[in-house]
Amino acid sequence: MNEIFTHSFIGIGKMAQVILEALLKHPVDPKKIIVSRRSLPALKKIKKTYRVAITTDNREAAAHIKYIWLGIKPQQALEILKEIKPFLSRSTVIISMMAGVSTKTIHKVIGHAWPVVRLMPNTPAKLGRGATGVYFTKKVSDKVKKQIIFTLDKLGMIFPIKRESDFNAVTGLSGSGPAFVYKIAQGLIAGGVESGLTQRQARELTIATLQGATAMLAASEMHPETLIENVASKKGTTEAGLKVLQKYRTAKAMELAVKAAAKRSLQITSSLESNKKL
C-alpha cells in the first residue's frame, strides 16, 4: 500500500472536483491525495486550489492506492483501466463516476479481485443539494461502504441502487435531470421577459417559483397532477398556460428526455461490454 497517498483521482472533471472537495471536508489531508490528468496547466490549477499532489502519469496515480476515483470519460475507460491494472494493490477500491461503464466492463479489464463502486452524482451536489446513485459490488466491505457513504453524504441525497441494471434510469433522471430543469427555467425566464419583466426580475421569480414548487412537492404526498389542480382554476390564468403545455406535450417531452438519456447510457454500457478488445 502506498505510504504517502490514500486517495487518487484519475480524471478530474467538475463532478470529480465536487467529490474531491467533499473528501477534503471529511477531513482527508490533501497531502494524502494525488490527482492525475493529461493537461499539466489544468493540474497546476488543481494543485493551487486544493493543495493536493499532481501527476500526468496515471500509473503513478494508481500505484498501490487504497481508493481510486475514476472521473474519466466513458470513451477512455478501456485504455486507462488497462494502463493502471498492473499497478493496483489487492486492497485497492475502484470508485467509478463514468456514465454507462458497468462493473462488468471494469471487472473484465482489471479482473474480479477488486471491489468496485459505481456512482452517479449530479451537479447540485456542489451545493450539497445533489442526488447521488451508488452501487456496491459484493466485494465491497461494510467498512468501505460506510466510509464512502460518509463522504457522499456531504453531497446531498444518497440513492442506493440494488440492481445495477437500474443505473441507466438513475443516470437519465437524476444524472441528466438538472439540465432538463434548467431548460424549463429558461422557458419561464423567457416568458417573463416577453410578458414585460426585466431579465433580472424574471430570473429571480423563476428561481423562487421552482424552489417553492419543489418544496411543495417534497412536503406533500400528493400526485403532481393534484398539485397542478390546486393551482389551476377553471377558465383562469393557469389553465390558459396549461393548455399551451398540453398542446406542445411538455410533460411527454420531459418523459422522453429522461428515457433518451437512459437509453444512451444503456448504449454506452452495451457497446463497452461487447467490445472484443476486453
Side-chain angles (χ1 to χ4, degrees):
M1 184 59 57
N2 193 310
E3 296 180 0
I4 302 175
F5 305 114
T6 54
H7 293 266
S8 77
F9 284 78
I10 298 179
I12 189 71
K14 292 179 181 179
M15 287 314 310
Q17 285 187 52
V18 170
I19 292 176
L20 172 57
E21 290 170 6
L23 272 178
L24 293 172
K25 293 174 184 176
H26 192 87
V28 174
D29 187 340
K31 294 178 181 178
K32 295 289 185 180
I33 301 173
I34 184 169
V35 174
S36 175
R37 187 173 179 171
R38 291 174 179 172
S39 171
L40 186 57
L43 277 176
K44 288 181 177 179
K45 289 182 181 179
I46 293 292
K47 183 175 183 178
K48 183 178 180 180
T49 303
Y50 301 110
R51 300 184 182 279
V52 295
I54 58 172
T55 180
T56 57
D57 188 345
N58 293 328
R59 297 167 297 180
E60 180 183 359
H64 309 296
I65 301 285
K66 175 64 177 175
Y67 299 100
I68 297 179
W69 302 77
L70 295 176
I72 54 180
K73 295 178 181 179
Q75 300 92 322
Q76 300 173 294
L78 301 186
E79 174 191 349
I80 290 178
L81 286 170
K82 288 178 181 178
E83 181 184 14
I84 67 174
K85 178 184 175 180
F87 300 89
L88 301 178
S89 163
R90 285 297 177 186
S91 60
T92 295
V93 180
I94 303 292
I95 308 166
S96 170
M97 294 169 271
M98 299 181 287
V101 182
S102 67
T103 60
K104 179 180 178 181
T105 294
I106 294 171
H107 280 141
K108 273 189 174 182
V109 178
I110 67 171
H112 292 268
W114 286 274
V116 177
V117 182
R118 277 189 75 184
L119 305 180
M120 179 43 64
N122 61 11
T123 52
K126 186 171 180 62
L127 303 177
R129 299 291 299 274
T132 302
V134 57
Y135 173 78
F136 298 103
T137 57
K138 292 180 180 179
K139 284 188 176 289
V140 181
S141 69
D142 288 340
K143 181 180 179 181
V144 168
K145 287 180 183 179
K146 288 178 182 179
Q147 290 174 333
I148 291 174
I149 291 296
F150 183 78
T151 298
L152 297 180
D153 191 54
K154 295 174 175 61
L155 308 183
M157 170 196 178
I158 298 172
F159 185 80
I161 299 174
K162 302 299 183 183
R163 300 181 305 172
E164 191 173 6
S165 58
D166 290 336
F167 224 94
N168 299 313
V170 172
T171 299
L173 179 54
S174 62
S176 301
F180 307 151
V181 174
Y182 302 146
K183 181 58 72 173
I184 292 172
Q186 187 179 34
L188 289 172
I189 293 170
V193 171
E194 288 295 315
S195 298
L197 298 175
T198 65
Q199 181 76 20
R200 182 175 179 178
Q201 289 172 331
R203 177 183 169 85
E204 289 177 351
L205 276 174
T206 293
I207 292 170
T209 300
L210 288 174
Q211 288 176 334
T214 53
M216 286 284 289
L217 185 62
S220 171
E221 293 184 0
M222 295 181 186
H223 190 278
E225 189 60 40
T226 303
L227 292 172
I228 291 171
E229 291 171 359
N230 290 344
V231 179
S233 57
K234 192 172 183 180
K235 295 184 179 180
T237 58
T238 304
E239 184 182 73
L242 287 171
K243 285 181 178 179
V244 176
L245 296 181
Q246 290 165 359
K247 177 182 178 181
Y248 290 99
R249 304 181 72 201
T250 305
K252 189 66 177 179
M254 289 293 108
E255 175 190 333
L256 293 176
V258 171
K259 290 173 70 175
K263 182 179 179 181
R264 179 57 186 146
S265 177
L266 177 59
Q267 288 173 341
I268 295 171
T269 301
S270 300
S271 174
L272 288 171
E273 288 183 353
S274 62
N275 193 313
K276 295 180 180 180
K277 294 181 180 180
L278 289 177

